[in-house]
Amino acid sequence: MARSEQASYVRSFSAMSASQSTDFMLKETAPRLGGGFIGSDKLGAYDLVEKMSYLYVRVVKARELPGLGLGGGIDPYVELRLGNYKGTTRHFEKNHSPEWNEVFAFSRERIQASHLEVWLGSKGLVEEERVAYSRFDLTEVPTRVPPDSPLAPEWYRLVDREGKRISGELMLAVWHGTQADECFPNAIHAEETHAVDARINTLIKGKVYPSPRLWYTRLQVFSAQDIYATNRSPHGQVFVKARVGNQLLKTKVCRSTTLNYEWNEHLVFVCAEPFEELLEISVEEHIEVNKHKVIGHCHLPLRECARRTSHDHIIKPSWYDLKRGEEIKEEKFSAKINLCVIHEGGYHVMAESTHYSSDLRPSSKDLWRQPIGLLELGVLRADGLAPMRSKDNKGTCDAYCVAKYGDKWCRTRTIIDNLSPRFNEQYTWDVHDHSTVITICVYHNCLIEKGAKDLLIGKVRIRLSTLETDRIYTHAYPLISLHHSGVKKMGELHLAVRFRPLHGPTCYTAMQSLTYQLCITYNRSIWFTKSTSEKGRWRLWPTE
């Protein structure tokens, strides 16, 4: 697709901006956004990305397939061919009525053929011995425009290479569409999978997944009874150790000449929903330096612990039985420990840097306020990425983007063997606070080659307080990385960003509160009024 872009550089407001290199500056662009998308005036309607056309093929199932060989069995699979590109489904063993339900996408910009060939084969057969064949003329394929309903699949008869009718039918659906189609995220892109094994297609698909919601888990250790310590001269030295995953905390050592010990300490952990881990508690005796002996232990499932969102909610402690170790003789009555385990949800658990936090809400959903606006992000493309691996004696990259904001993280699909990948994917988030930052990272997918940890190419951060409402920002952001040799530019990331406020009673109340604060701060030098000519928007006017 041809582009007509006019670029201008944006300098930072600092003393160093006059001598700043253009390689490290923000570049304003003018891409062709929303070209041809129906309903682009609606929220989240793919109007912040460039239109990309695809040929979609949905392979549903087959029935009454013919048998092969002496046993009469068949291990069927379907192969799609469109010029130099092809896509292959998984195969089924000894199945005459398989069900695949897989969707393939072919970019129309790279199509160099006028017909789509559909082959039905059996695993183990050579190419010349494929079972059946079908053909589609691309000029007769219908076009689907969301929000229309998905195209219904149809049964197609199968023929051999000579055109003779054979038994069996194949259910397919073939249509032209764009990345606004709901099949796009889960589709197998033929131009990507031709370079890699189709079995790792799950490693390059786009994903949208919730970010972990963190809670403070407060463990209050009060006392323990019937603790039989072996070292009783002059006093037994006992402490409590608690573990949640990789987090390990200990109380102070308590000395007592009786069987009862008291600590009255608070241990605080950070745990994530859905609380699948265990709280492991052990009472141990201090024998000597770096030597301890377990007296008793117990395991508490975190999901069964109480949750508290306010200080008015009082949770009483409970007694728990301690299982004794194998070296200590079992007594008639087990030792007990008095604990109180609480998940605190009324606080915001900081999981990011303070200056770049994307979510300032408490952990409990009951304390969340209504959103004040909608953040829309269009990930357009990346240009001039630094080579991250070598293929055919040339540098290349398998890039994807991750957008992190609030309670939702979004990951684009991985573009294989491309230093200037085009993503053109759009995402939306509810905004609850202007003082937040969205982070977009570009990674190199290492799982395709060697299964190592993905490499970070660069990241971009955008502060929402700098965005004007209902304005589309289109910029090329430099991906800068610090190396031993100095600062290096790893490429550019083209984005389109827009913030849309939600006008309603919640925003009206918040604006009234802001008016009061500003009047006090500036000694009533400015005030807010409601303008009817601006459709009820709040504007700032000077006092007379």
Side-chain angles (χ1 to χ4, degrees), residues 48-332:
L48 294 183
V49 293
E50 297 178 343
K51 180 181 178 181
M52 299 180 67
S53 299
Y54 289 91
L55 173 68
Y56 290 98
V57 182
R58 180 185 177 191
V59 183
V60 184
K61 58 183 178 180
R63 64 184 180 186
E64 300 177 359
L65 296 180
L68 299 176
L70 298 177
I74 184 175
D75 302 334
Y77 68 91
V78 175
E79 181 179 290
L80 308 174
R81 288 188 177 184
L82 189 60
N84 295 327
Y85 299 102
K86 68 178 181 179
T88 306
T89 66
R90 64 186 186 277
H91 77 280
F92 291 90
E93 295 183 0
K94 309 300 179 182
N95 195 331
H96 293 266
S97 298
E99 294 186 9
W100 294 281
N101 199 22
E102 297 182 10
V103 179
F104 295 84
F106 298 87
S107 177
R108 295 186 63 180
E109 295 182 358
R110 303 183 182 182
I111 292 179
Q112 300 177 350
S114 58
H115 293 83
L116 170 68
E117 297 180 355
V118 180
W119 292 88
L120 178 65
S122 178
K123 185 180 179 181
L125 297 180
V126 295
E127 183 175 350
E128 292 76 11
E129 297 177 351
R130 289 207 170 106
V131 180
Y133 164 80
S134 185
R135 189 174 183 178
F136 293 86
D137 190 349
L138 298 186
T139 58
E140 299 178 358
V141 174
T143 300
R144 188 217 164 191
V145 180
D148 291 350
S149 300
L151 189 66
E154 301 179 15
W155 287 103
Y156 293 91
R157 295 182 176 180
L158 300 176
V159 297
D160 58 12
R161 286 181 173 271
E162 299 178 357
K164 296 181 180 180
R165 175 75 172 90
I166 61 176
S167 63
E169 291 180 323
L170 184 63
M171 179 179 281
L172 298 173
V174 185
W175 72 94
H176 292 296
T178 63
Q179 72 266 40
D181 199 296
E182 63 268 12
C183 294
F184 177 79
N186 295 322
I188 302 174
H189 292 260
E191 64 269 19
E192 308 299 339
T193 56
H194 79 281
V196 296
D197 194 339
R199 292 176 297 178
I200 65 172
N201 181 67
T202 56
L203 302 177
I204 64 177
K205 283 185 178 180
K207 299 180 179 65
V208 176
Y209 45 94
S211 61
R213 191 184 311 150
L214 303 178
W215 293 63
Y216 285 119
T217 300
R218 186 186 302 275
L219 171 62
Q220 296 174 286
V221 183
F222 294 103
S223 60
Q225 296 180 356
D226 299 330
I227 301 298
Y228 289 87
T230 58
N231 185 14
R232 315 204 62 81
S233 55
H235 302 289
Q237 302 181 18
V238 178
F239 65 94
V240 178
K241 183 170 67 176
R243 178 191 298 272
V244 176
N246 296 325
Q247 304 176 69
L248 178 63
L249 298 177
K250 301 178 182 179
T251 66
K252 64 180 182 293
V253 176
C254 179
R255 296 175 175 84
S256 175
T257 57
T258 66
L259 301 180
N260 302 331
Y261 294 81
E262 292 186 2
W263 293 274
N264 293 323
E265 289 194 35
H266 287 68
L267 306 179
V268 181
F269 300 89
V270 176
C271 302
E273 289 186 351
F275 302 121
E276 296 179 348
E277 297 177 318
L278 293 175
L279 174 59
E280 303 175 5
I281 300 173
S282 62
V283 179
E284 301 184 10
E285 178 187 5
H286 178 71
I287 305 298
E288 57 185 34
V289 179
N290 297 329
K291 185 177 181 180
H292 309 98
K293 186 176 182 179
V294 177
I295 299 176
H297 62 87
C298 65
H299 293 171
L300 304 179
L302 290 179
R303 65 171 63 93
E304 298 178 2
C305 299
R307 303 188 186 188
R308 183 170 66 183
T309 58
S310 64
H311 294 287
D312 298 334
H313 185 193
I314 300 176
I315 300 175
K316 297 181 179 180
S318 302
W319 289 94
Y320 298 91
D321 294 336
L322 290 174
K323 297 181 180 180
R324 301 183 186 274
E326 297 179 355
E327 299 180 359
I328 301 178
K329 182 180 179 180
E330 292 290 341
E331 301 292 337
K332 184 176 181 180

Side-chain angles (χ1 to χ4, degrees), residues 37-54:
F37 282 113
I38 303 299
S40 59
D41 57 334
K42 300 179 181 179
L43 296 178
Y46 273 81
D47 58 336
L48 294 183
V49 293
E50 297 178 343
K51 180 181 178 181
M52 299 180 67
S53 299
Y54 289 91

